[in-house]
Amino acid sequence: MRFVLKCLAESTVPVRNMKQYLLAALYNAPTTMQFNHDELMLMMLYNTGTRQGLVRELRLMQCYLMPDETALRELSEQVIEKLKRLTDAEFAGLEFPMN
């Protein structure tokens, strides 16, 4: 419960449907606890609907990064490594909260 409240407090995007957001966050908490807020936001931006598709999009995005964009490169690498440890079923079970 603390994890979900912490994620809500760190969110910089206004939540329009609090009930839906909290239900999705609580449902996904066991899986998403391994992802921090920035990683979840990056996943939401590049999510194609499949784990492999998300990894592919993140790799493609890395091709366009400038040499000085090290923070985004490191963040995307962290996400890719964590996604590799998820099964397709675990990824498919994720429900990203709607704003």
Side-chain angles (χ1 to χ4, degrees), residues 36-47:
N36 67 35
H37 179 73
D38 291 338
E39 292 168 340
L40 287 172
M41 293 301 110
L42 187 65
M43 289 171 62
M44 289 173 63
L45 286 172
Y46 289 93
N47 188 13

Side-chain angles (χ1 to χ4, degrees), residues 14-51:
V15 176
R16 288 181 275 204
N17 186 333
M18 184 60 69
K19 181 179 177 182
Q20 183 181 11
Y21 180 92
L22 288 174
L23 284 173
L26 288 168
Y27 176 79
N28 291 318
T31 303
T32 59
M33 283 179 71
Q34 59 188 318
F35 296 103
N36 67 35
H37 179 73
D38 291 338
E39 292 168 340
L40 287 172
M41 293 301 110
L42 187 65
M43 289 171 62
M44 289 173 63
L45 286 172
Y46 289 93
N47 188 13
T48 63
T50 67
R51 183 177 60 88

Side-chain angles (χ1 to χ4, degrees), residues 28-96:
N28 291 318
T31 303
T32 59
M33 283 179 71
Q34 59 188 318
F35 296 103
N36 67 35
H37 179 73
D38 291 338
E39 292 168 340
L40 287 172
M41 293 301 110
L42 187 65
M43 289 171 62
M44 289 173 63
L45 286 172
Y46 289 93
N47 188 13
T48 63
T50 67
R51 183 177 60 88
Q52 292 173 338
L54 176 54
V55 170
R56 187 172 44 253
E57 288 298 311
L58 289 172
R59 289 280 184 222
L60 181 62
M61 175 270 296
Q62 289 177 331
C63 294
Y64 294 97
L65 292 177
M66 301 302 291
D68 63 337
E69 294 180 292
T70 57
L72 185 53
R73 183 174 307 281
E74 290 172 8
L75 178 64
S76 59
E77 280 299 324
Q78 290 171 6
V79 170
I80 290 168
E81 288 305 311
K82 290 179 180 183
L83 286 170
K84 288 179 180 178
R85 291 192 294 266
L86 283 182
T87 65
D88 288 335
E90 288 170 331
F91 181 82
L94 284 176
E95 291 181 17
F96 294 102

